[in-house]
Amino acid sequence: MHTQSPLPDWNTLAALGDDEVPLLDTALLIARDEYPDLDPRGVTEQVETYAEALRPQLEGDADLPSRLTAINRYLFEEIGFAGNNSQYDDPRNSYLNQVVDRKLGIPISLAVIQIEVTRRLGLPLDGVSFPGHFLVRLPVDDGILVLDPYNKGRPVSAEELRERASPHLGGQMPDDSQLLQILAPASHRAILMRMLRNLKGLYQASGDWERVARTADRLLKLSPDTAEALRDRGLAYRELGYAKGAREDLARYLQLLPEAGDIESVREALVDLAGEPTRLN
């Protein structure tokens, strides 16, 4: 019987550099919150098995794009990883153990699998926090190759990237400089925080305040002064009846963002909480 392999301690992550935060292990740490009996060894071993199966296919003088094409063919066609179009908002799409078990995910979780397998094979694949839809990138001789893990890792042209970015830029098409800035590599911390924000948004939409508080708390473990996480944890605490925690978080939010657009509603929440007793559980 396997014992559970160690994962990072949440309380140590804030002190690490943005790319010192272990990507796969921390993603599994997020999953363990939802699946307490999760043994991350199984997921890690599966990722390593994918890499080992691919290694013989990548021997020889093939260029980087050709190697990446072989990796994507294996992951998305042979193994069958795919975007979950029918149940995009299912939280299981964001938990790495479930993504590996079900072979279904959303762009960012599929990207983490793609990155972890590809890096084990010596290719410098990075994530891209592209607006609306997470992508990956690989440096090549004449620039960068951008791929869409949600669509079987297919390459995305510069024109399509501009069109995808435009709605998030007020309808303006980004110029070359802006596009390169948008396509900057995402750090491990940024990837993990985006995963947590996705989950937090799903749980807010369903009114699952315990999980909203938990995901906001994990964001704060990664980056303690994340204002929106303080606000959302505070509002979740209010819903859960934890008045003391709600007051502390919302007051800190106002300290960090005194000109926040929602300052009046947060102040009103604090006034409402002023006379609320603290419920310990």
Side-chain angles (χ1 to χ4, degrees):
M1 180 176 177
H2 289 307
T3 58
Q4 289 185 342
S5 57
L7 288 176
D9 182 336
W10 277 112
N11 294 318
T12 67
L13 297 177
L16 298 178
D18 288 349
D19 279 321
E20 292 175 341
V21 178
L23 181 57
L24 180 59
D25 284 353
T26 308
L28 293 172
L29 196 60
I30 293 169
R32 186 177 274 177
D33 279 339
E34 186 68 15
Y35 302 93
D37 295 329
L38 166 66
D39 181 358
R41 185 195 310 273
V43 179
T44 302
E45 288 180 350
Q46 189 63 71
V47 169
E48 291 170 353
T49 297
Y50 296 150
E52 288 308 308
L54 276 161
R55 200 174 301 279
Q57 301 181 39
L58 305 185
E59 294 174 351
D61 298 325
D63 59 19
L64 287 183
S66 298
R67 293 182 184 186
L68 193 55
T69 297
I71 293 169
N72 288 340
R73 185 185 306 115
Y74 176 78
L75 290 176
F76 298 113
E77 296 181 17
E78 293 185 40
I79 300 299
F81 281 101
N84 192 349
N85 292 311
S86 62
Q87 293 179 304
Y88 191 90
D89 291 336
D90 188 329
R92 291 177 295 178
N93 296 329
S94 292
Y95 292 118
L96 259 290
N97 60 320
Q98 290 290 311
V99 175
V100 168
D101 286 348
R102 302 167 72 233
K103 306 297 182 291
L104 289 171
I106 56 175
I108 195 166
S109 57
L110 295 170
V112 170
I113 298 296
Q114 191 182 21
I115 288 167
E116 287 292 326
V117 171
T118 302
R119 287 182 178 174
R120 280 168 169 77
L121 295 164
L123 277 70
L125 194 69
D126 283 313
V128 176
S129 271
F130 203 80
H133 192 123
F134 199 85
L135 301 169
V136 296
R137 52 169 280 168
L138 183 75
V140 293
D141 290 341
D142 55 350
I144 56 173
L145 180 62
V146 180
L147 306 120
D148 184 352
Y150 194 69
N151 289 291
K152 298 185 177 182
R154 73 169 181 83
V156 186
S157 69
E159 187 58 34
E160 183 179 345
L161 290 167
R162 288 190 174 89
E163 291 175 359
R164 287 192 187 191
S166 175
H168 304 277
L169 300 172
Q172 297 297 312
M173 287 285 193
D175 60 24
D176 288 349
S177 176
Q178 289 172 312
L179 187 59
L180 282 173
Q181 188 173 5
I182 295 169
L183 293 172
S187 70
H188 292 180
R189 191 185 310 276
I191 294 170
L192 294 159
M193 291 183 72
R194 183 158 169 168
M195 292 180 77
L196 284 163
R197 286 189 176 103
N198 287 344
L199 282 166
K200 178 164 61 68
L202 293 176
Y203 294 136
Q204 284 172 320
S206 65
D208 188 339
W209 301 113
E210 287 189 8
R211 287 180 170 85
V212 171
R214 184 184 75 198
T215 50
D217 180 76
R218 296 322 195 189
L219 279 162
L220 292 164
K221 294 294 188 185
L222 284 166
S223 182
D225 287 331
T226 302
E228 123 266 344
L230 279 163
R231 178 199 61 203
D232 292 346
R233 188 176 68 176
L235 294 174
Y237 281 164
R238 181 183 65 166
E239 296 290 336
L240 295 168
Y242 178 31
K244 179 176 182 292
R247 287 192 295 264
E248 290 174 353
D249 280 354
L250 295 178
R252 177 65 177 148
Y253 172 72
L254 293 179
Q255 285 180 339
L256 289 171
L257 289 181
E259 305 297 326
D262 58 355
I263 190 168
E264 291 304 322
S265 63
V266 173
R267 281 177 173 164
E268 288 175 11
L270 276 169
V271 170
D272 291 342
L273 286 161
E276 290 288 326
T278 295
R279 193 164 70 205
L280 294 179
N281 58 354

